[in-house]
Amino acid sequence: MSRTSPIRTLLRRAGLPAAVLIAVSFFGYNAVLGPTGILAARDFQAELAQKNVEFAALDKKRATLKNRVDLLDPRRGADPDMVEELVRKQLNVARPDEVIIPLKK
């Protein structure tokens, strides 16, 4: 009769539970401390709030630029004050202390 080694017996008895324990520990660690874990979710929320603030500022700037473009739309008739302002800036004839008073119609 052949005698089995005690190491081989130990591996047969504890091998599967040890592998399961290692796998559960790995996934548990990643669920809490991993790159997309619970602790990283707080950082994501803070970053999302910051990006929303940036988006709101950019959206406001976009609306301002869209308004200026709409004022220069040739199909609806360009705003004469806006055209004069841009022409004077481009031709470098406007001075910083100059005040433009629009005509009342």
Side-chain angles (χ1 to χ4, degrees):
M1 231 175 154
S2 72
R3 192 166 175 226
T4 59
S5 165
I7 294 174
R8 193 175 281 207
T9 305
L10 180 65
L11 287 176
R12 279 190 187 150
R13 284 184 167 179
L16 183 62
V20 169
L21 183 63
I22 290 171
V24 167
S25 299
F26 172 76
F27 288 115
Y29 171 81
N30 280 325
V32 176
L33 300 173
T36 58
I38 294 170
L39 296 179
R42 285 189 236 150
D43 295 335
F44 290 146
Q45 291 296 328
E47 188 177 341
L48 178 64
Q50 179 186 8
K51 295 295 181 184
N52 282 336
V53 169
E54 285 180 33
F55 175 74
L58 288 174
D59 196 37
K60 184 177 179 182
K61 186 175 180 179
R62 183 193 61 80
T64 303
L65 290 174
K66 185 179 181 326
N67 184 32
R68 289 180 62 95
V69 168
D70 288 342
L71 287 174
L72 293 172
D73 188 12
R75 286 176 281 173
R76 288 190 280 171
D79 182 33
D81 293 331
M82 179 67 75
V83 172
E84 182 182 358
E85 177 185 340
L86 290 175
V87 168
R88 290 173 71 87
K89 283 181 184 177
Q90 290 293 325
L91 296 176
N92 202 17
V93 293
R95 295 187 308 252
D97 62 341
E98 200 169 53
V99 177
I100 299 173
I101 301 174
L103 297 174
K104 299 216 178 201
K105 293 182 182 181

